[in-house]
Amino acid sequence: GADFRRQMENLPGISELDIHCPDAAHPCGAGFAWWNLPPGERSFTTPEFGGWDETVAYVKRVWSEEGPFDAVLGFSQGAILMT
């Protein structure tokens, strides 16, 4: 979440918005992931999304505790999740 927020800092008008960028639900190396993938798989090729139930519960909790939100925007796995 923090990395995504930093990447958006210089977008025109962004400072006028209340932006919330949560970290993904699962620790992954030095960062986070919205789901865990089998070895060698990518998010757009895998039939398995490990930790999916935990991810859904986490998103619902963030929405209920920190939302509602007027819009959602995701990057990489976050974009897949938000669609």
Side-chain angles (χ1 to χ4, degrees), residues 15-68:
S15 62
E16 300 169 22
L17 302 174
D18 181 17
I19 304 291
H20 179 79
C21 299
D23 287 323
H26 305 281
C28 181
F32 295 88
W34 286 109
W35 45 79
N36 300 306
L37 297 170
E41 288 287 352
R42 304 281 309 261
S43 291
F44 52 85
T45 62
T46 188
E48 299 175 34
F49 294 88
W52 178 254
D53 292 338
E54 293 86 354
T55 292
V56 171
Y58 176 75
V59 170
K60 286 181 177 180
R61 183 170 41 87
V62 168
W63 191 276
S64 68
E65 292 176 4
E66 302 175 30

